[in-house]
Amino acid sequence: MPRSARTPLRQWIWRAFVQSALIPLILVESVLITAYLLTNSAIRDAQVDYLQQSALEDLSSAVVREGKVIDMRLQGIEVPTRLFRDAVGRALQDRSFKPDDLERQRHVLSSDGVYYTRTDDGRAASFYASSTPVERQDHDKALRLSQVDPLMRSIRESNPLVAAVYFNSWDSYNRIYPFFMTPEQYPHDMVIPNYNFYYLADAKHNPQRKTVWTDVYLDPAGLGWMMSAITPVYRGDFLEGVVGLDITVGQMLGEIGSLKVPWQGYAMLVSRDHSIMALPEAGERDFGLRELTRFSYDEAVRREVLKPEDFNLARHREMQPLLEAMAVGKGNVQEVELGGRKQLVAWAEIPQTGWRLMMVVDEANIFKETNRLAERYQQIGYLLIAGLCFFYALFFAWMWSRSRRLSGELATPMAAIMGMMKRIGQGDFRPPAPSSRIAELQALAEAVQLSGAQLQASEEERLEARRNLDLVLESTTESLWEVDAITLSIKMSGRFVKRFGLRSDSITFAEFNERVHPDDVERVRRLRMLFSVSDQDNFDAEYRFADVEGRYSWLLSRGKVLERDSDGRALRVAGTHVDITRLKQVEEELRIASREAQAASQAKSRFLSSMSHELRTPLNAINGFAQLIALEAEGQEDRKVEGDYAQEIVNASRHLTSLVDDILDLSSIENRRQKLQLKPVDIGPLLASCAELIQPELQARHLQLQLAPPPSPTLHVMADARRLRQVMLNLLSNAVKYNSPEGMVSMGYEIRPAAVRLWVADSGPGLSQEQQAMLFQPFQRLGRENSTIPGTGIGLVLCRELAELMGGEMGFSSAPDIGSRFWIDLPSIVGSDDYEPPALAKLEVEEPQVLPKVLCVEDHPACLKVLQEGLRDMADVRGAGSVGKALGLLADITPSLLLLDLDLPDGDGLDVLDFVRSSPRLAMMPVLVVSAAVDEKILAEARRRGADACLSKPVDLKQVRRMALSLLGQEA
């Protein structure tokens, strides 16, 4: 169908609606409804004006009359309050009174300093708070006040409004009737003068010393929300205390409910600051509040608790006109919009307290008769509307036939488009599109077709990426696994199932534990249990696992939480199994070799050095490919699981690399093969950089770091900067790993005679005397071998050896349950104020128009592939697998950067470096050495012959990219 014949959907519907319905509908309805509204409104308004004036006068008289009733009830409370005040004053001065034995036996002193009564015996309860020390408590005063108990009982029984009678003293003593177990209700360290039922009667708030009333507050004695009439008790000008009579909100509601409110309205009581003190059930619906007549005392009331702000009329926007009228004294009746209805509110002030009694009446009740008349007019209107409906019945019958054709034009193509979407969801990505006269529906069908084609292409790319990922994972790990905490089962990849002869790729924990070595079962089970209830995201465990013939292999199991429940417990965890049997054998051989003579130690060192290249080269490939996968999956939600798996591979390879590095470092230090470059080191920037590097670990474990301010003037020590940073980072890492939850890590310096002490402290569990004796022994983890905390037990040994090589000394101090402090003393430099460390050059990298050429001399194909993929968006990387091939390529081309491995099959990579530096054409070309060799002598020799920088395998691709950018920028 030609595109010009189609009409937009909105225009199609609008044109039909205007021509068929809109114009006659507006004309007819406007005339009839206007006539009806004008007639009904005129009659109603005439009657409302008369009734409103009469209602205002009647409501004003009623509120004044009932306000006087409430005032008389409150005066009836104040009289016994003053009588009680006089009786308490006499009892406090009557030191000749001797309490009986029963009163003395009722009082006991608790272990935390509370003096209280433990039995009822028809008398008042007594409570001396521990906020007043025992030696300052006046126990005789508490016993003398027992003579007012009969008066308290009489006041309570003679007036049904009184809920409790009490006396509170200046030193936090309370005597109250009726009796209750005060230590179970009051906070033991209660400070009574801080509550409003005391301080409102003091000299500051009540200089006239008269009876005053509190606002509504939460009673600490357990009677809920109440108000009190309180009177001060003075001895001369000294305020001995305050007597009070309590009235609960429920009791006040009962009094208000008995008032006579016209027109089925209700009354409410409001305080001087416009806070609602008593609100009946009808008012709760209007104000959207629930009156606080009860309170669940789950714990003691330790501070003054007043009614919430929601009970203040100022918080209700619809009450603002009422408050303004009350403020200016504009009559005593105001119309407000309350509860979604127009209501009249009348108020009268109670002189005794300054409170206001308010009456609320629904205008609908006042104008009920008028509304009845209006309903009759509405019936007439209904007859008019009925005639109008008959007309529209005929009109819409004609419209129905029109709507059928319109709905057919819309429904048929839309149903076809829905069918297209269902077929795409079932895997048919290219369904045929329907034809429609409506342009939007036709465009929608074509868009669905295009989406199906794009989904098909994306699905093919995803399957290809998944196959590549499976290939990489199969070549770098023993297996992938996923744990379901709900079913207590673990699912593994097919390679693991085949190798260890499992019955299925999904087995229960019980079946899995049957294959775990008996010596490791309890440890693995405990690690799982601790991990499931902790907030850690990473799981790490090493154990032995048996195949179908009973042969055990060591596995490194590392995982990450994928899903947690609402309580924070791990529901799904996924990770990798890595076979570390060979590494465990190497560790065992190292432990055996460490206990042998010096000759055996030297043999061990030679063995470790020879194994360096063989370990680092495959680890470099594993680490590199995993980083590439993680980089590609970054930011793609549909590849999040693949990215998590790749990150687990990176974590595992880095763990193995760190283990190899520590062992090789220890070996080189033990044979004194370390050649340190000692020079002045500014400790201020050094400590700041260490603090910055350790921040991710601190944040992951929710710890805080306290760093001493930098010294002024600058302070220098004689040390190897790289090794000193290694020592401080090792101490910081230990302080983080072995700290308490949400603990503190501190780092600073001290100036000592001819030395500077750098120290790191933690707030962890500390070390016992037995643990301190074994602290600097290689491979000794002090009982944490079976924990989830990573480590090899040789870090502190390395630190002490490096400290001695730099001419310093290392030590520590520790106390159980307090923490540990490790320090290193290094020689200070006299006159260091004149020493200025070289400034770091700024790296300015400009993206070239054409990718620079980079030659990578690397004999291992996997390592070459890692570097090519890592630099593919910033350089054109070519490879050479031997010295001969590298020299041949360098004779023909001039690369912008040379990546050089030192261990090549037909010679030494240093020969290639010598050729580059001796050639005038290549002399200025930057060279980055990337080698599995970790001997500092070899790397130093490479730098001496002209290498710009050196990296050890396995490499961090981000570090390689930054260094390559820097070297290419220097050339540019």
Side-chain angles (χ1 to χ4, degrees):
M1 179 182 295
R3 187 174 184 86
S4 59
R6 299 195 181 100
T7 303
L9 179 61
R10 183 178 61 182
Q11 182 179 355
W12 180 282
I13 297 177
W14 176 251
R15 185 179 301 166
F17 183 73
V18 169
Q19 294 174 354
S20 304
L22 186 59
I23 295 175
L25 178 66
I26 292 176
L27 291 176
V28 174
E29 284 194 354
S30 298
V31 173
L32 292 179
I33 293 177
T34 301
Y36 166 73
L37 291 178
L38 290 176
T39 302
N40 194 29
S41 177
I43 298 173
R44 176 182 172 85
D45 291 344
Q47 292 190 351
V48 166
D49 291 340
Y50 171 78
L51 291 178
Q52 186 172 15
Q53 184 62 33
S54 176
L56 293 177
E57 296 175 357
D58 293 346
L59 189 59
S60 177
S61 300
V63 73
V64 173
R65 180 185 67 251
E66 300 303 327
K68 293 179 180 179
V69 174
I70 293 296
D71 186 56
M72 294 177 60
R73 299 288 177 84
L74 296 180
Q75 290 182 20
I77 298 294
E78 292 184 3
V79 172
T81 303
R82 291 191 288 270
L83 293 176
F84 182 42
R85 174 199 61 190
D86 297 339
V88 170
R90 291 191 297 271
L92 290 174
Q93 300 299 321
D94 186 9
R95 298 185 178 274
S96 62
F97 175 76
K98 301 296 182 183
D100 55 17
D101 292 340
L102 176 60
E103 184 66 20
R104 295 183 180 277
Q105 293 172 2
R106 293 174 67 226
H107 284 76
V108 293
L109 184 65
S110 69
S111 59
D112 58 349
V114 173
Y115 187 65
Y116 68 98
T117 51
R118 56 184 176 181
T119 58
D120 185 349
D121 302 313
R123 304 187 182 189
S126 178
F127 178 82
Y128 228 130
S130 62
S131 57
T132 301
V134 176
E135 62 272 13
R136 293 175 54 191
Q137 294 179 1
D138 190 352
H139 292 176
D140 290 338
K141 174 175 68 176
L143 297 175
R144 288 198 306 274
L145 287 172
S146 64
Q147 56 187 308
V148 301
D149 287 1
L151 177 58
M152 296 171 74
R153 183 167 55 252
S154 298
I155 293 174
R156 167 85 167 36
E157 293 174 352
S158 63
N159 195 328
L161 277 180
V162 177
V165 185
Y166 60 85
F167 166 71
N168 292 320
S169 72
W170 62 274
D171 54 353
S172 295
Y173 170 74
N174 168 258
R175 192 170 194 93
I176 184 169
Y177 182 86
F179 176 87
F180 61 92
M181 286 302 294
T182 51
E184 298 176 0
Q185 187 67 35
Y186 290 149
H188 289 194
D189 57 351
M190 184 179 187
V191 181
I192 292 178
N194 291 342
Y195 292 79
N196 67 341
F197 50 75
Y198 186 95
Y199 65 74
L200 288 179
D202 61 16
K204 177 181 177 181
H205 298 85
N206 184 21
Q208 297 85 4
R209 302 184 181 182
K210 63 181 182 179
T211 301
V212 295
W213 286 84
T214 70
D215 291 334
V216 175
Y217 65 91
L218 182 61
D219 183 23
L223 294 179
W225 296 92
M226 62 173 49
M227 57 198 76
S228 297
I230 56 176
T231 306
V233 180
Y234 279 90
R235 175 169 49 85
D237 290 332
F238 179 72
L239 180 61
E240 285 283 358
V242 174
V243 300
L245 273 64
D246 287 341
I247 302 177
T248 65
V249 172
Q251 292 170 322
M252 183 56 70
L253 283 174
E255 288 296 314
I256 292 177
S258 64
L259 298 178
K260 298 179 180 179
V261 182
W263 295 296
Q264 301 175 1
Y266 62 89
M268 53 187 285
L269 195 62
V270 179
S271 66
R272 291 177 293 272
D273 60 352
H274 309 306
S275 180
I276 300 175
M277 303 178 66
L279 183 67
E281 183 177 352
E284 292 178 355
R285 294 190 296 269
D286 287 343
F287 287 91
L289 299 173
R290 175 73 66 173
E291 181 55 273
L292 306 177
T293 56
R294 297 184 180 182
F295 184 79
S296 177
Y297 287 82
D298 296 331
E299 59 181 15
V301 180
R302 298 184 172 273
R303 59 184 178 84
E304 179 183 73
V305 180
L306 303 178
K307 268 197 170 183
E309 288 295 326
D310 291 344
F311 280 82
N312 195 295
L313 296 181
R315 296 296 296 273
H316 296 267
R317 185 173 57 185
E318 64 272 13
M319 300 300 291
Q320 292 302 321
L322 174 66
L323 297 179
E324 294 173 2
M326 293 169 61
V328 300
K330 182 181 176 182
N332 68 336
V333 180
Q334 180 69 32
E335 182 183 75
V336 297
E337 186 79 20
L338 187 61
R341 308 183 309 278
K342 287 186 177 181
Q343 304 200 44
L344 293 178
V345 180
W347 67 90
E349 183 173 338
I350 299 175
Q352 199 69 20
T353 61
W355 300 341
R356 288 184 173 90
L357 177 68
M358 292 187 175
M359 289 185 178
V360 182
V361 178
D362 193 339
E363 285 191 2
N365 294 333
I366 300 176
F367 306 137
K368 185 176 180 180
E369 186 63 27
T370 302
N371 293 333
R372 185 183 63 81
L373 182 60
E375 288 178 359
R376 295 187 62 183
Y377 285 103
Q378 282 184 343
Q379 292 174 0
I380 298 174
Y382 291 153
L383 293 176
L384 295 175
I385 294 174
L388 184 64
C389 291
F390 177 73
F391 166 76
Y392 278 120
L394 298 177
F395 174 71
F396 281 111
W398 174 71
M399 285 292 297
W400 178 77
S401 62
R402 296 270 307 198
S403 64
R404 287 192 61 184
R405 185 173 63 86
L406 178 60
S407 63
E409 292 286 344
L410 294 174
T412 302
M414 291 178 66
I417 293 173
M418 292 174 60
M420 291 176 63
M421 293 180 177
K422 290 180 180 179
R423 293 179 62 177
I424 291 175
Q426 295 169 355
D428 182 5
F429 295 105
R430 296 186 180 276
S435 178
S436 174
R437 292 179 55 196
I438 302 176
E440 284 81 357
L441 292 179
Q442 184 67 30
L444 179 60
E446 294 173 357
V448 172
Q449 273 190 322
L450 180 59
S451 299
Q454 293 175 345
L455 284 174
Q456 184 179 20
S458 298
E459 182 66 13
E460 292 173 353
E461 292 178 2
R462 188 188 68 81
L463 293 176
E464 180 64 23
R466 182 58 182 266
R467 285 193 293 269
N468 293 338
L469 177 63
D470 292 341
L471 179 61
V472 173
L473 294 177
E474 287 291 331
S475 62
T476 55
T477 62
E478 188 62 41
S479 78
L480 301 176
W481 54 264
E482 182 174 335
V483 168
D484 189 337
I486 298 178
T487 60
L488 295 179
S489 63
I490 178 170
K491 185 177 181 180
M492 290 155 294
S493 60
R495 180 180 174 186
F496 189 89
V497 174
K498 181 178 179 181
R499 176 183 171 184
F500 289 95
L502 300 178
R503 64 171 182 80
S504 172
D505 62 350
S506 179
I507 61 176
T508 63
F509 278 173
E511 294 172 320
F512 188 86
N513 291 341
E514 291 177 357
R515 294 291 189 94
V516 179
H517 194 282
D519 296 340
D520 299 336
V521 170
E522 289 301 323
R523 175 171 56 85
V524 173
R525 184 180 289 113
R526 185 172 63 255
L527 288 177
R528 287 195 194 120
M529 184 64 66
L530 292 174
F531 178 74
S532 66
V533 299
S534 70
D535 58 355
Q536 296 183 6
D537 287 335
N538 297 316
F539 176 78
D540 195 331
E542 297 177 1
Y543 50 88
R544 287 161 288 184
F545 196 81
D547 59 16
V548 70
E549 296 180 359
R551 294 190 298 268
Y552 286 97
S553 298
W554 275 98
L555 297 179
L556 169 62
S557 180
R558 283 191 161 183
K560 185 176 182 180
V561 176
L562 300 180
E563 182 182 355
R564 294 184 182 274
D565 60 13
S566 58
D567 297 329
R569 297 176 64 91
L571 294 180
R572 291 176 56 239
V573 184
T576 60
H577 282 134
V578 179
D579 190 339
I580 58 171
T581 303
R582 179 56 184 164
L583 186 59
K584 282 295 183 179
Q585 292 173 355
V586 172
E587 290 182 3
E588 184 62 26
E589 292 172 2
L590 290 175
R591 291 190 182 92
I592 295 174
S594 67
R595 294 192 294 266
E596 294 178 354
Q598 183 63 29
S601 177
Q602 295 175 354
K604 174 204 70 177
S605 299
R606 289 193 299 270
F607 167 75
L608 292 175
S609 297
S610 65
M611 286 295 293
S612 171
H613 183 272
E614 295 301 321
L615 287 173
R616 288 178 174 274
T617 298
L619 282 176
N620 183 60
I622 294 172
N623 192 14
F625 278 118
Q627 290 184 67
L628 289 174
I629 296 172
L631 287 173
E632 292 180 356
E634 185 174 357
Q636 300 185 27
E637 188 64 27
D638 58 337
R639 300 186 63 186
K640 184 177 184 299
V641 175
E642 298 173 15
D644 291 341
Y645 287 168
Q647 189 60 44
E648 290 301 324
I649 298 172
V650 172
N651 293 341
S653 63
R654 286 177 178 171
H655 175 75
L656 297 177
T657 303
S658 175
L659 181 60
V660 172
D661 286 341
D662 288 347
I663 295 174
L664 294 176
D665 275 349
L666 180 61
S667 174
S668 62
I669 290 176
E670 288 176 347
N671 292 312
R672 289 298 189 264
R673 291 190 285 109
Q674 285 281 355
K675 300 299 182 181
L676 304 183
Q677 297 180 358
L678 301 181
K679 59 182 180 181
V681 177
D682 188 352
I683 66 171
L686 176 76
L687 296 181
S689 65
C690 292
E692 183 178 358
L693 290 173
I694 204 66
Q695 281 299 326
E697 293 187 44
L698 291 167
Q699 296 174 1
R701 297 175 181 267
H702 306 289
L703 301 177
Q704 297 182 0
L705 175 64
Q706 185 176 12
L707 176 64
S712 179
T714 58
L715 189 61
H716 295 78
V717 296
M718 185 63 70
D720 184 302
R722 185 172 68 89
R723 289 303 187 182
L724 180 56
R725 182 178 286 103
Q726 178 182 353
V727 171
M728 297 305 295
L729 288 175
N730 198 319
L731 297 181
L732 284 170
S733 179
N734 285 348
V736 171
K737 291 190 294 186
Y738 302 108
N739 211 323
S740 302
E742 299 183 359
M744 174 69 73
V745 177
S746 306
M747 179 170 61
Y749 62 92
E750 298 174 7
I751 302 177
R752 307 178 69 82
V756 174
R757 171 170 292 183
L758 306 181
W759 54 266
V760 174
D762 64 69
S763 59
L767 301 172
S768 63
Q769 294 296 329
E770 294 77 10
Q771 290 175 323
Q772 294 180 26
M774 300 183 293
L775 189 60
F776 290 99
Q777 297 180 15
F779 306 104
Q780 177 56 253
R781 304 246 2 241
L782 305 180
R784 295 180 174 88
E785 294 81 3
N786 296 331
S787 70
T788 59
I789 301 175
T792 59
I794 61 178
L796 288 178
V797 180
L798 284 171
C799 291
R800 186 171 67 173
E801 293 291 339
L802 289 172
E804 293 176 0
L805 288 177
M806 290 185 289
E809 180 183 3
M810 184 175 178
F812 72 97
S813 61
S814 182
D817 301 326
I818 296 179
S820 304
R821 178 186 176 108
F822 288 82
W823 49 264
I824 175 174
D825 286 348
L826 294 171
S828 61
I829 301 177
V830 180
S832 61
D833 293 342
D834 299 331
Y835 176 78
E836 295 183 2
L840 294 177
K842 292 186 177 179
L843 301 180
E844 297 182 359
V845 180
E846 296 183 359
E847 184 177 357
Q849 298 297 327
V850 180
L851 293 179
K853 297 185 181 297
V854 175
L855 178 60
C856 179
V857 183
E858 171 62 65
D859 64 321
H860 196 282
C863 294
L864 174 60
K865 183 66 174 176
V866 167
L867 292 173
Q868 287 177 327
E869 291 296 324
L871 301 177
R872 66 180 179 182
D873 60 337
M874 55 179 290
D876 181 10
V877 183
R878 298 183 59 181
S882 63
V883 173
K885 188 173 181 180
L887 296 178
L889 289 173
L890 289 172
D892 299 329
I893 64 173
T894 304
S896 300
L897 174 64
L898 177 63
L899 303 179
L900 180 61
D901 188 7
L902 299 181
D903 191 4
L904 298 170
D906 60 340
D908 192 349
L910 294 176
D911 296 337
V912 179
L913 182 59
D914 292 339
F915 172 80
V916 169
R917 292 303 179 227
S918 62
S919 172
R921 177 172 57 84
L922 303 173
M924 300 303 295
M925 179 178 63
V927 178
L928 172 60
V929 173
V930 181
S931 176
V934 294
D935 193 334
E936 188 60 29
K937 288 183 177 180
I938 298 176
L939 300 180
E941 179 65 17
R943 295 188 187 95
R944 187 186 68 79
R945 295 193 186 187
D948 294 274
C950 298
L951 293 176
S952 296
K953 296 179 181 178
V955 295
D956 185 342
L957 285 180
K958 293 182 180 179
Q959 184 180 11
V960 172
R961 288 171 61 87
R962 288 195 300 268
M963 193 163 290
L965 279 173
S966 175
L967 294 176
L968 290 172
Q970 290 174 9
E971 184 196 33

